[in-house]
């Protein structure tokens, strides 16, 4: 058993699973705190490294391409504070971090885990149902339908059509782009891959993100949707001689969750509710989802 406990979070490895729990330090981003504990199976890991620094080092986990829907949708664009696979390590505990690296690397070698891409998600994505309000809209996803509702400062061209409901089977993809500098970001739901892209401020299938505190949570919602779409690396099969090639879209198997993980999730939701991050409605919906899984 290898374990490292820091203000930034706790990583514990038992030979089969690396459990990542976000810390309570103010440097921990809202995305990580909302996501909560992650159980990463060894077969999802491509590598691990400790990057030494003068005052603070960094422990970085690298997952196999296609293993995690969150990484699939964010494409390396998450800031450090929001990256669940990055742990800030005090220099005095560098030895513990290096021990963690050795243990994970040895397990990868013993189990002969390849570092190449996978053809199905090995992590389940965020829990549902999920509602996130950021930018110029609020998005809700219950596993079957994405619903977009607009705020008071949404562009008139978007509000004129009213709320938008998108069945999961109508979606071909989700695109998340964070705000950078003076450029706004967006979360866009794609129904036709080759359709012209409107400016997010005017697109009824997109939420414009302005770089505020809750914006990263839209990446979590995007990951929840992507986890339920066909995997981009899924093997193709030929149905008939006349039929086109089709993607096999078997839903990902749910990850096993133990009782303690779900109880910790309830405590985390309570803390987010008390601090004002979650509204009464959001807290109630998220709590009921966790209770059903107990």
């Amino acid at each position: 058993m290898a374990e490292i406990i820091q203000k930034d979070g706790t990583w514990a490895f038992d030979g089969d699973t690396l459990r990542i729990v976000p810390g309570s330090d103010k440097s921990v981003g809202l995305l990580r705190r909302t996501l909560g504990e992650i159980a990463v199976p060894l077969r999802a890991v491509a590598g691990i490294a400790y990057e030494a620094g003068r005052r603070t080092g960094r422990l970085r986990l690298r997952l196999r391409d296609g293993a995690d829907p969150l990484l699939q949708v964010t494409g390396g664009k998450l800031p450090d504070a929001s990256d669940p696979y990055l742990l800030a390590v005090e220099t005095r505990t560098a030895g513990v971090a290096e021990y963690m690296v050795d243990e994970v690397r040895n397990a990868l070698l013993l189990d002969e885990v390849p570092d190449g891409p996978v053809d199905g998600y090995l992590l389940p994505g965020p829990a549902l149902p999920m509602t996130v309000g950021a930018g110029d809209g609020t998005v809700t996803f219950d596993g079957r339908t994405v619903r977009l509702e607009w705020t008071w400062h949404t562009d008139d061209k978007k509000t004129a059509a009213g709320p938008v409901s998108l069945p999961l089977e109508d979606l071909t993809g989700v695109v998340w782009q964070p705000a950078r500098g003076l450029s706004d970001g967006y979360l866009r739901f794609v129904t036709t891959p080759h359709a012209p892209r409107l400016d997010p401020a005017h697109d009824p299938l997109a939420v414009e993100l302005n770089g505020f505190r809750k914006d990263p949570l839209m990446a979590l919602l995007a990951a929840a949707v992507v986890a339920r779409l066909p995997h981009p690396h899924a093997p193709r099969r030929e149905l008939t001689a006349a039929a086109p090639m089709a993607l096999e879209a078997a839903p990902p198997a749910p990850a096993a969750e133990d009782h303690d993980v779900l109880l910790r999730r309830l405590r985390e939701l309570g803390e987010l509710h008390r601090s004002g991050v979650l509204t009464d409605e959001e807290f109630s919906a998220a709590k009921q989802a966790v209770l059903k899984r107990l």
Side-chain angles (χ1 to χ4, degrees):
M1 178 75 173
E3 184 177 51
I4 180 167
I5 302 173
Q6 300 290 293
K7 293 179 180 179
D8 198 34
T10 299
W11 289 18
F13 179 60
D14 63 6
D16 295 313
T17 303
L18 178 61
R19 295 193 176 274
I20 298 176
V21 181
S24 57
D25 190 70
K26 62 181 181 181
S27 64
V28 178
L30 180 59
L31 183 152
R32 287 173 58 194
R33 288 189 280 124
T34 304
L35 182 59
E37 181 173 330
I38 307 172
V40 183
L42 182 64
R43 61 195 177 99
V45 177
I48 186 172
Y50 174 65
E51 304 165 355
R54 291 186 61 185
R55 294 184 178 179
T56 304
R58 298 194 297 183
L59 191 59
R60 188 185 298 274
L61 188 69
R62 183 168 58 89
L63 300 193
R64 298 170 66 188
D65 182 22
D68 181 11
L70 177 61
L71 297 186
Q72 187 69 33
V73 78
T74 54
K77 293 175 287 190
L78 282 175
D80 287 354
S82 297
D83 189 344
Y85 304 114
L86 184 67
L87 180 71
V89 178
E90 297 175 12
T91 303
R92 62 184 178 84
T93 55
V96 182
E98 290 168 349
Y99 175 70
M100 171 74 73
V101 169
D102 289 341
E103 288 294 291
V104 174
R105 286 179 176 173
N106 289 338
L108 290 171
L109 288 172
L110 288 172
D111 286 19
E112 298 181 338
V113 178
D115 62 0
V118 297
D119 58 10
Y121 293 118
L122 302 179
L123 284 92
L128 295 179
M130 192 172 189
T131 299
V132 177
D136 66 352
T138 297
V139 185
T140 299
F141 180 53
D142 60 6
R144 298 179 300 274
T145 304
V146 174
R147 182 173 174 82
L148 293 85
E149 298 180 88
W150 311 116
T151 63
W152 61 271
H153 58 85
T154 307
D155 182 85
D156 290 344
K157 293 180 180 179
K158 292 167 73 168
T159 57
V164 177
S165 292
L166 299 169
L168 185 64
E169 56 267 25
D170 289 350
L171 295 177
T172 61
V174 184
V175 181
W176 174 80
Q177 176 66 47
R180 292 283 174 84
L182 298 178
S183 299
D184 289 335
Y186 58 85
L187 173 66
R188 174 177 280 125
F189 298 95
V190 181
T191 55
T192 305
H194 304 296
R197 297 288 181 260
L198 301 175
D199 185 291
H202 309 309
D203 187 350
L205 300 185
V207 174
E208 185 181 39
L209 304 175
N210 311 115
F212 295 114
R213 182 169 174 264
K214 288 190 176 183
D215 281 9
L217 296 185
M218 283 296 184
L220 284 184
L221 192 139
V225 176
V226 165
R228 289 156 180 82
L229 294 178
H231 194 279
H233 303 322
R236 294 175 177 269
R237 61 184 176 90
E238 194 167 337
L239 301 179
T240 66
M245 300 293 284
L247 284 175
E248 296 185 54
E257 293 181 275
D258 60 38
H259 191 263
D260 290 339
V261 170
L262 294 173
L263 289 178
R264 280 196 292 271
R265 178 65 175 158
L266 284 174
R267 287 195 293 269
E268 291 164 1
L269 290 171
E271 291 172 2
L272 291 172
H273 181 233
R274 287 191 293 273
S275 64
V277 172
L278 296 178
T279 65
D280 291 345
E281 181 181 0
E282 292 170 341
F283 171 68
S284 178
K287 182 178 71 173
Q288 290 302 316
V290 175
L291 290 174
K292 287 180 182 178
R293 290 153 65 185
L294 272 171

